[in-house]
């Protein structure tokens, strides 16, 4: 069976969108978002026909028993004779949903459905939304471990920090399938791809750049670590209380570890202090960066203000001082959008039945994504569009090749 993108208007008995009422009733104004979501955004469809008793006997009993027995004797056959190697679980507890925060598992489902159809649309990967009624890290881990036999990979989604780090680490230790927290690593991959191209455009390398990240949550921590892995010159991370540095006594374990590997320049104080002379600003926190702080950055700086819907630095302000500007919004050039990464990353990992997703696979994904831009590279085009049909195949191939090179591929 395969998860399929369906048009909710195709079934008038269950998806009545012909009226003009809102989500509650006639007193509510018409809203196309509610019309599109009525009845959900996805369904399950069989990949084989059941037309007669012969089809039934092959798809179900008695024919299915032969396949079950073969898998029982040779467990690796599950990848060939079920959907396991083609499907990802999209798992959340609803604690960090988009910019809405802790809204609970039921309210998270429209986002998880959306994630699932993006997997299918952009990567050809089937995905199943799973919203869990617990926020306990160990309960989430135990639940996912017990569900894992049905899936080829696990995409963790919208789980708040710092629990998300612990949950991902424990699942990676216990499972032999890819576990990927997209809020962390998908964001980091796309950010690195755009930054590589921005540096190339300006005749510099990553090693020439000093970056400042606003936000020490899941995305900020992952981006900082990933940029260091990729060879950036220096990176400092700021949270609400200022630069994450070793002289602070209020750091969590995650931030303490971050302080040990970042901020080689030894900057202390505020985000604004760190931005003076910086080459790169990366915003994954919300809030507003004062214009004088942006103006204090180095000539030819890059501003990646990725908060939605309101970037930390408005593009009109950023363009006054920066050579390259990126946001998380689709109505401005250079959108840092995770859909550029996660469908191809999982497609590549599943293609070779990878046991995990390595740093090398993520770097390969970032490089492939950057290379799609090619000779079209320009200040307003350092990252391709999510609708560029070259993206997913390029990322898929690069990730699969990296998995084989790193010894985590099983075919």
């Amino acid at each position: 069976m395969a998860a399929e993108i369906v048009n909710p208007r195709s079934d008038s008995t269950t998806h009545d969108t012909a009226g003009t009422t809102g989500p509650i009733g006639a007193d509510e104004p018409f809203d196309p978002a509610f019309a599109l979501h009525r009845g959900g955004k996805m369904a399950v469809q069989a990949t084989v026909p059941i037309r007669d008793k012969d089809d039934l006997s092959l798809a179900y009993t008695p024919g299915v028993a032969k396949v079950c027995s073969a898998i029982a004797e040779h467990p690796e056959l599950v990848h060939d004779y079920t959907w396991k190697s083609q499907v990802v679980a999209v798992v959340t507890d609803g604690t960090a949903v988009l910019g809405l925060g802790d809204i609970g598992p039921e309210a998270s489902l429209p986002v998880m459905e959306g994630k699932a159809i993006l997997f299918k649309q952009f990567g050809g990967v089937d995905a199943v939304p799973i919203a869990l009624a617990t926020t306990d890290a160990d309960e989430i881990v135990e639940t996912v471990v017990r569900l894992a036999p049905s899936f080829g990979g696990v995409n963790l989604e919208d789980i708040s920090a710092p629990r998300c780090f612990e949950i991902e680490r424990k699942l990676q230790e216990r499972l032999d399938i890819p576990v990927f927290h997209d809020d962390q690593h998908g964001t980091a991959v796309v950010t690195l791809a755009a930054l590589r191209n921005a540096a190339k455009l300006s005749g510099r390398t990553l090693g020439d750049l000093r970056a400042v990240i606003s936000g020490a949550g899941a995305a900020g921590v992952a981006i900082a670590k990933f940029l260091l892995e990729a060879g950036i010159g220096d990176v400092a991370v700021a949270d609400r209380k200022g630069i994450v540095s070793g002289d602070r006594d209020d750091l969590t374990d995650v931030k303490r570890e971050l302080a040990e590997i970042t901020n080689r320049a030894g900057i202390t104080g505020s985000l604004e202090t760190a931005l003076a002379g910086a080459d790169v600003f990366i915003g994954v926190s919300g809030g507003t960066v004062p214009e004088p702080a942006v103006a204090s950055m180095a000539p030819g700086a890059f501003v990646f203000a990725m908060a939605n819907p309101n970037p930390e630095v408005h593009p009109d302000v950023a363009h006054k001082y920066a050579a390259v500007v990126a946001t998380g919004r689709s109505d401005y050039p250079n959108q840092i959008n995770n859909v550029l990464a996660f469908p191809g990353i999982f497609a590549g990992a599943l293609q070779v039945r990878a046991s995990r997703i390595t740093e090398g696979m993520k770097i390969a994904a970032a490089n492939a994504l950057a290379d799609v831009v090619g000779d079209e590279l320009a200040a307003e085009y350092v990252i391709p569009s999510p609708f560029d049909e070259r993206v997913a195949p390029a990322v898929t191939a690069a990730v699969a090749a990296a998995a084989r090179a790193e010894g985590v591929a099983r075919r």
Side-chain angles (χ1 to χ4, degrees):
M1 307 183 81
E4 182 189 52
I5 301 170
V6 296
N7 184 346
R9 297 170 179 79
S10 64
D11 182 355
S12 60
T13 63
T14 57
H15 303 288
D16 180 11
T17 61
T20 58
T21 61
I24 306 302
D27 294 336
E28 297 289 327
F30 173 76
D31 189 319
F34 284 95
L36 183 141
H37 283 78
R38 184 176 292 277
K41 300 191 291 289
M42 59 184 293
V44 175
Q45 178 177 328
T47 60
V48 296
I50 307 293
R51 298 162 299 197
D52 51 38
K53 66 181 182 65
D54 292 332
D55 288 342
L56 183 59
S57 68
L58 287 173
Y60 201 54
T61 184
V64 73
K66 297 178 182 179
V67 181
C68 293
S69 297
I71 294 172
E73 187 174 350
H74 303 285
E76 69 277 4
L77 291 179
V78 70
H79 297 283
D80 297 310
Y81 294 104
T82 72
W83 78 339
K84 179 180 174 71
S85 64
Q86 306 170 63
V87 66
V88 170
V90 180
V91 178
T92 190
D93 64 358
T95 55
V97 181
L98 299 179
L100 303 174
D102 185 356
I103 60 175
E106 289 86 359
S108 76
L109 270 176
V111 178
M112 300 310 115
E113 287 184 4
K115 198 76 171 192
I117 66 174
L118 294 179
F119 265 109
K120 188 66 172 179
Q121 179 74 29
F122 293 101
V125 174
D126 292 314
V128 177
I130 297 176
L132 301 179
T134 178
T135 59
D136 181 271
D138 288 333
E139 289 184 358
I140 292 171
V141 170
E142 292 298 330
T143 302
V144 175
V145 167
R146 284 162 172 73
L147 289 170
S150 296
F151 298 98
V154 175
N155 184 85
L156 300 173
E157 189 75 19
D158 293 349
I159 299 173
S160 63
R163 294 174 311 114
C164 60
F165 304 114
E166 177 188 359
I167 291 167
E168 182 187 38
R169 175 180 56 79
K170 288 183 175 180
L171 286 173
Q172 287 173 336
E173 290 171 353
R174 295 184 59 179
L175 298 178
D176 65 347
I177 59 175
V179 178
F180 186 84
H181 185 204
D182 187 50
D183 298 324
Q184 292 184 60
H185 309 301
T187 309
V189 165
V190 182
T191 300
L192 175 59
L195 191 55
R196 277 199 186 284
N197 275 341
K200 179 180 179 181
L201 184 66
S202 66
R204 289 178 284 179
T205 67
L206 286 177
D208 299 323
L209 305 177
R210 179 171 72 84
V212 178
I213 298 174
S214 175
V221 170
I223 292 170
K225 291 181 176 180
F226 198 49
L227 292 182
L228 289 171
E229 182 77 19
I232 198 164
D234 194 11
V235 57
V237 182
D239 62 11
R240 291 183 180 87
K241 297 182 179 180
I243 300 301
V244 175
S245 57
D247 64 325
R248 286 175 47 180
D249 59 6
D250 60 344
L251 301 180
T252 63
D253 290 342
V254 171
K255 291 181 182 180
R256 193 172 298 110
E257 177 191 355
L258 194 63
E260 293 174 356
I261 60 174
T262 61
N263 193 21
R264 295 165 185 156
I267 300 169
T268 59
S270 67
L271 170 70
E272 289 82 357
T273 299
L275 281 176
D279 302 294
V280 184
F281 168 76
I282 297 171
V284 284
S285 65
T288 301
V289 178
E291 183 171 343
V294 182
S296 74
M297 295 179 68
F302 312 139
V303 171
F304 291 7
M306 302 188 300
N308 268 317
N310 300 310
E312 294 88 348
V313 182
H314 192 280
D316 291 344
V317 173
H319 278 296
K320 294 182 184 179
Y321 311 103
V324 175
V325 177
T327 72
R329 291 175 49 150
S330 60
D331 53 347
Y332 290 102
N334 296 327
Q335 184 189 19
I336 308 297
N337 190 329
N338 288 14
V339 77
L340 289 163
F342 69 82
I345 289 174
F346 269 100
L350 293 176
Q351 184 181 97
V352 298
R353 296 181 189 166
S355 59
R356 59 193 177 95
I357 295 173
T358 66
E359 291 300 299
M361 292 163 70
K362 290 183 283 186
I363 287 177
N367 290 343
L369 184 54
D371 289 344
V372 168
V373 172
D375 294 338
E376 302 170 73
L377 181 61
E380 296 201 340
Y381 187 56
V382 297
I383 198 75
S385 162
F387 296 99
D388 189 324
E389 294 181 355
R390 300 171 295 174
V391 168
V395 173
T396 298
V399 168
R404 291 190 177 102
E406 299 209 335
V408 297
R410 289 177 286 198
R411 74 167 182 183

